[in-house]
Every structure is written in C-alpha cells, then in structure tokens.
Amino acid sequence: VWTVIVPEETSKERLMKRNNISEEDAKRRISAQMSNAERIQRSDIIISNEWNVEETTKQVKAALQGVKNRMRMLLPDQVQLDVTADNFLSSRWTSCCQSMKVNVEMQRRWWRIIRQKYTCGGRYYHNTQHLKDMFALLQTSAVTVDRADVLAFAIFFHDVIYNATRSDNEEESAKFFQTFCVAAGSISQVDQVKLNALTCLSAHADAVLEFGLVCDDTIPGSCLQDDYDN
C-alpha cells in the first residue's frame, strides 16, 4: 500500500488556494479525512508531497526501485509461487482472525506485517509457499474446527522470524506472536497458551503432536528432524 502525505499546515494552505475557501472551511475538510498518522499506520510505502514535483518524483522512483530490488532477491519460480499462495493465505488469515474476534483494521495491519516477513529476501524455503504447504497438511489432519483455528494461527507465526545464522528463530517467533496478542486484545488466555507453545514448532514437538498437527519435517526440504531428535 502506497500513501502520499503532506503536513496539515501545507495541506490547509494548498486547499485554501486551490478551492478559494476560508481557513475555517479548509480545517473542517481536513479534519473530516483520515489523519497522516492513520495513513502511515495502514501503508507500506510513504511518499511526502511537501516539496516540489521533482523531489516527489525522486521519492517515487527510489521507492519503486526498492520494490524491484526486493523482487530480484527472490528466485524466479518463487515469485510465481508467492503470488499463487498469497490469495489463499490472505483469505485463511482473515478467517482465522474472525474466529478469534480480531477487528478488521488489526487483521489488515498484521497481514501486511506477516506477508512482508515471509516474502523478504533470503527466504528460499520459509516463505509463503511453505505456509501454504503447512495448511495443506493441516487439512489432512484429524482435528476439530476450533482446534484447526488455533493451529492456523500457529502456522502463520511459527516461522515469522527467520535468520539463517541464528538458532532461536522459533522462540523469537513466539515472542512476536505475543506482541500480536497484545495488539489484537481479543485472544483468550487459554488460546494464547496453546498458540504460544505451537508457535515454537521445533522446540515443542510434543505439543505439536498432541494437538494433531503433522510435523513440519514431513515437507520436503525441512531440516527440523534433528531438532526433534535432540
């Protein structure tokens, strides 16, 4: 999501000049719109239109080049896989959040965050296609609807923090999930306990098996079996 913002004072002056209206009318119109803070919160890329056209153009070109650079960091076949997986995952995320009574604004905000985490450069396995594969396994598991919703959240967060040089990704992912719980404010303490355990898949293999989820290591390319054995 791209957003163009301008300081309120500059916006007021431009509005008065363009529409030939009073300062009071300009303030009233601006106050009826979404604030800059709200726009920023809902956006991935911010462009400031405070200066001249040349400066704005420079910002847009730099932001666009950044997007292109991130796309080049993905393998060619992964780009297509991520596009295919994205629609399925966004729909699943919405359904999962609705079951936990997470409000719409929070759903959208956190989906952008999670999607950005799983599509950043260097993720050649722990990516959106991996999430889709995990959901495919979940669909074949004998779990109840309520339990499936809990497992779905665990899948979304289990690899959300990933650094190939670190060994505490699962624990950091669990902490990231707790941040989401605080922000959402609608997930019960019981579900938080279940989800927190399940989020650390490699560190809590017994809990994963107890809740009926087929282990992550059944997907080709996974290297979690050594963690389970240890």
Side-chain angles (χ1 to χ4, degrees), residues 152-171:
F153 257 132
I155 288 174
F156 275 116
F157 282 95
H158 84 283
D159 273 331
V160 70
I161 302 298
Y162 178 73
N163 184 331
T165 66
R166 296 179 64 93
S167 61
D168 60 348
N169 291 314
E170 290 79 16
E171 288 80 1

Side-chain angles (χ1 to χ4, degrees), residues 28-40:
R28 186 163 48 249
R29 293 192 184 190
I30 292 173
S31 64
Q33 300 174 6
M34 188 183 298
S35 69
N36 282 340
E38 292 174 305
R39 289 190 177 98
I40 291 172

Side-chain angles (χ1 to χ4, degrees), residues 48-61:
S48 174
N49 192 27
E50 183 177 1
W51 303 283
N52 55 38
V53 175
E54 290 75 17
E55 182 61 33
T56 302
T57 301
K58 187 187 300 184
Q59 292 178 67
V60 172
K61 288 182 177 180

